[in-house]
């Protein structure tokens, strides 16, 4: 799309999206590191992840200020309006992802280090799937790619499956060895947090869908869109 | 229960949609306008709704004012201008030779960019139209028309004690409301406004916008504006003109959140040129 006549407007919008992508990158690294802290029982890394959440919070506050400024001073319309509203949603979702990663890291500090390896491996696998999903969601934001956004929505089912199987698995270990209940409960909550991160990645993809098409990302709208493409 | 509520809402929506369809006030069909050889408007067809505000937006020289002026045949007054096509109002073509343009203009009032009160008293500014059209039987009836027009224009409280003062003694915003009251006084059906707020400050603008919103209950209003925020604030339908063509016409909300045409998109987001 061509640039605004007032180039400062374009600059401000670009600055905002760069800021969000930086936030997103930070969130991605927090997922990976939180999961690594769990699998390698690296408490130092866990503490570092907890600290990193602050940086995301600061970036979110900065993005919020930029959004208020844009709305108050530039009166964005049409695609610009959608970009600004989408940015507001993205900032909120990424901030929540940061919180959830922080929570995983905090729970990591409560682990004993001799949790069932299979369950810990399960967290690692799930974290990989979730961070992959977030990565695609951020990528489709960067490229304003609706089709990729639809793919992200599909990925969410896999993550829910991951969560359910990890939940059942951990439950079995608890029943086998009641001494494991405490730390295994932390693992279940970690999995739940990862599942929620997946939901936020889905929200990001839905926001991108809205930004690009101007329609809500409902099942009917998506189906109608895919239908017209194929015919 | 939920189902019932949804049915109810659905029926209400359908009814509303039907009403909307029935309430076309001005039906413009294939309008071309030429200034001598030069074509200013290219084959524009659009239906303008009654009891609603329709905004015309577009860059300077896109033809929106020219098109607006077709609706009360103001282009007749320009020697070089010629209009082709039909404009149907209440079943009759306003360009038909049997239609008296003076009478038409009493049905289709107009408010201009610069307030242009007559160099007469506030009272006479309003009374002039009803007098020449013979709308009032006597002095008391004329007084009533003057008062109710000034009330509808939200000016009565401010001027009721100085009706004999010249219209030009009022502030710019008051003068513009006086012009709107003058337009209302002859009981028009359609009110055309050509950038009615461009010479006013933000407070006076807000008053006029509030007034437009109130008048919408009784009249079909068409407003040409350069301020897209104003179009977004006051209108229910928006038409975007570019290079003499109607590019896009639809619900204001949709035009400003999700326009279909890339030219509309570029214009309202400030990317034109």
């Amino acid at each position: 799309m061509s640039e605004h006549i007032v180039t400062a407007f374009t600059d401000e919008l670009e600055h905002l999206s760069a800021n969000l992508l930086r936030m997103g990158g930070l969130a991605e690294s927090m997922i990976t590191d939180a999961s690594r802290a769990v699998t390698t029982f690296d408490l130092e890394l866990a503490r570092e992840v907890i600290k990193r959440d602050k940086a995301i919070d600061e970036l979110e506050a900065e993005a919020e200020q930029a959004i208020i400024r844009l709305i108050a001073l530039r009166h964005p319309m049409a695609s610009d309006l959608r970009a600004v509203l989408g940015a507001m949603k993205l900032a909120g979702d990424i901030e929540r992802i940061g919180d959830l990663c922080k929570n995983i890291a905090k729970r990591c500090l409560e682990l004993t280090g001799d949790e069932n390896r299979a369950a810990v491996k399960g967290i690692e696998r799930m974290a990989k799937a979730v961070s992959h999903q977030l990565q695609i969601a951020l990528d489709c934001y960067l490229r304003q790619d609706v089709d990729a956004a639809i793919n992200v929505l599909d990925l969410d089912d896999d993550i829910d499956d991951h969560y359910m199987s990890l939940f059942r698995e951990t439950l079995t270990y608890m029943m086998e060895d009641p001494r494991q209940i405490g730390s295994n409960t932390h693992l279940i909550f970690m999995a739940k947090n990862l599942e929620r991160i997946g939901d936020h990645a889905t929200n990001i993809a839905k926001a991108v869908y809205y930004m690009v098409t101007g329609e809500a990302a409902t099942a009917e709208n998506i189906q109608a869109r895919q239908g017209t493409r194929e015919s | 229960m939920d189902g019932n509520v949804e049915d109810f809402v659905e029926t209400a929506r359908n009814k509303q949609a039907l009403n909307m369809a029935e309430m076309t006030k001005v039906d413009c069909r294939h309008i071309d306008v030429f200034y001598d050889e030069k074509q200013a408007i290219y084959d524009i067809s659009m239906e303008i709704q009654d009891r609603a505000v329709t905004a015309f937006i577009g860059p300077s020289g896109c033809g929106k004012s020219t098109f607006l002026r077709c609706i009360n045949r103001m282009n007749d007054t320009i020697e070089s201008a010629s209009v082709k096509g039909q404009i149907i109002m209440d079943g009759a073509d306003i360009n038909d030779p049997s239609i008296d343009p003076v009478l038409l203009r009493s049905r289709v009032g107009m408010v201009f960019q610069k307030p242009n009160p007559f160099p007469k008293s506030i009272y006479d500014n309003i009374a002039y139209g009803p007098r020449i059209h013979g709308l009032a039987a006597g002095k008391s009836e004329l007084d009533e028309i003057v008062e109710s027009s000034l009330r509808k224009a939200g000016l009565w409280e401010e001027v009721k004690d100085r009706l004999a003062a010249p219209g030009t003694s009022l502030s710019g915003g008051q003068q513009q409301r006086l012009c709107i009251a003058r337009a209302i006084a002859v009981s028009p059906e359609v009110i055309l406004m050509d950038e009615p707020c461009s010479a006013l400050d933000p407070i006076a603008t807000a008053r006029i916008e509030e007034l437009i919103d109130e008048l919408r209950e009784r009249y079909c209003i068409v407003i040409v504006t350069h301020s897209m925020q104003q179009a977004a604030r006051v209108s229910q339908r928006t038409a975007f003109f570019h290079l003499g063509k109607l590019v896009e016409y639809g619900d204001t909300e949709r035009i400003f959140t999700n326009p279909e045409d890339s030219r509309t998109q570029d214009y309202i987001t400030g990317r034109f040129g």
Side-chain angles (χ1 to χ4, degrees), chain B residues 45-245:
Chain B
S45 295
M46 69 188 293
E47 292 179 7
I48 299 169
Q49 282 170 8
D50 201 5
R51 284 157 216 270
V53 180
T54 302
F56 290 179
I57 60 169
S60 297
C62 68
K64 54 192 190 297
S65 288
T66 300
F67 188 68
L68 184 80
R69 293 159 63 91
C70 292
I71 302 172
N72 67 348
R73 289 181 56 179
M74 285 289 279
N75 290 323
D76 289 14
T77 61
I78 300 170
E79 191 77 24
S80 61
S82 60
V83 179
K84 283 183 188 148
Q86 286 182 305
I87 295 179
I88 313 289
M89 208 171 111
D90 297 332
D93 185 355
I94 63 163
N95 287 315
D96 192 274
S98 68
I99 299 270
D100 174 2
V102 176
L103 222 63
L104 171 71
R105 285 175 207 140
S106 76
R107 291 171 63 201
V108 185
M110 190 153 186
V111 177
F112 298 87
Q113 183 169 1
K114 252 183 90 190
N116 54 351
F118 301 137
K120 287 170 176 289
S121 69
I122 293 172
Y123 184 95
D124 284 336
N125 260 281
I126 312 295
Y128 185 79
R131 258 191 212 125
I132 62 162
H133 288 290
L135 297 178
K139 170 86 170 104
S140 66
E141 216 171 297
L142 198 57
D143 287 351
E144 259 173 50
I145 293 177
V146 170
E147 178 174 344
S148 80
S149 305
L150 285 168
R151 276 193 194 281
K152 282 181 202 153
L155 195 59
W156 176 251
E157 291 303 323
E158 291 160 61
V159 301
K160 63 179 177 189
D161 299 325
R162 47 174 174 149
L163 292 174
T168 47
S169 67
L170 298 171
S171 73
Q174 287 173 327
Q175 285 188 22
Q176 194 62 304
R177 277 180 283 151
L178 181 67
C179 293
I180 293 174
R182 185 177 64 189
I184 295 171
V186 293
S187 314
E189 297 152 44
V190 181
I191 302 176
L192 310 177
M193 300 189 178
D194 195 351
E195 295 184 48
C197 301
S198 59
L200 305 182
D201 71 29
I203 302 290
T205 299
R207 289 231 170 83
I208 301 279
E209 287 179 2
E210 168 70 11
L211 174 59
I212 292 172
D213 201 48
E214 281 167 17
L215 295 177
R216 160 164 81 90
E217 287 171 19
R218 279 186 287 258
Y219 307 100
C220 163
I221 298 174
V222 186
I223 175 172
V224 165
T225 175
H226 267 132
S227 157
M228 277 171 293
Q229 268 77 28
Q230 181 170 61
R233 284 191 301 259
V234 303
S235 73
Q236 285 74 52
R237 310 261 284 161
T238 296
F240 170 61
F241 292 77
H242 183 45
L243 299 174
K245 291 181 180 126

Side-chain angles (χ1 to χ4, degrees), chain A residues 209-227:
Chain A
Y209 185 94
Y210 171 72
M211 273 183 246
V212 179
T213 66
E215 294 170 350
T218 58
E220 301 94 70
N221 283 344
I222 292 172
Q223 220 159 35
R225 188 184 174 78
Q226 285 172 328

Side-chain angles (χ1 to χ4, degrees), chain A residues 1-6 9-10 13 74-82 210 212-215, chain B residues 227-230 232-233 253-259 264-273:
Chain A
M1 191 173 293
S2 61
E3 296 209 339
H4 292 90
I5 297 165
V6 180
F9 190 2
T10 308
L13 280 173
R74 303 285 181 204
H75 303 283
M77 294 272 197
S79 63
D80 295 333
L81 176 67
R82 304 200 303 266
Y210 171 72
V212 179
T213 66
E215 294 170 350
Chain B
S227 157
M228 277 171 293
Q229 268 77 28
Q230 181 170 61
R233 284 191 301 259
E253 191 188 322
R254 189 186 58 72
I255 297 275
F256 285 101
T257 55
N258 193 13
T264 317
Q265 165 82 29
D266 284 352
Y267 180 67
I268 66 176
T269 58
R271 288 182 166 87
F272 229 73

Side-chain angles (χ1 to χ4, degrees), chain A residues 20-83:
Chain A
L20 287 173
L21 287 167
R22 201 172 323 131
M23 266 179 92
L26 212 53
E28 241 181 88
S29 78
M30 277 174 82
I31 300 173
T32 315
D33 287 346
S35 129
R36 195 147 55 88
V38 175
T39 47
T40 59
F41 196 56
D42 183 343
L43 300 187
E44 202 43 52
L45 184 58
R47 287 193 194 94
E48 208 268 312
V49 170
I50 293 171
K51 271 191 219 136
R52 226 182 292 167
D53 181 48
K54 222 180 160 97
I56 290 202
D57 288 353
E58 279 163 11
L59 282 172
E60 193 217 5
E62 204 179 294
E64 210 168 72
Q65 278 303 314
I67 289 164
I68 292 170
R69 252 183 66 90
L70 270 165
I71 293 175
L73 305 183
R74 303 285 181 204
H75 303 283
M77 294 272 197
S79 63
D80 295 333
L81 176 67
R82 304 200 303 266

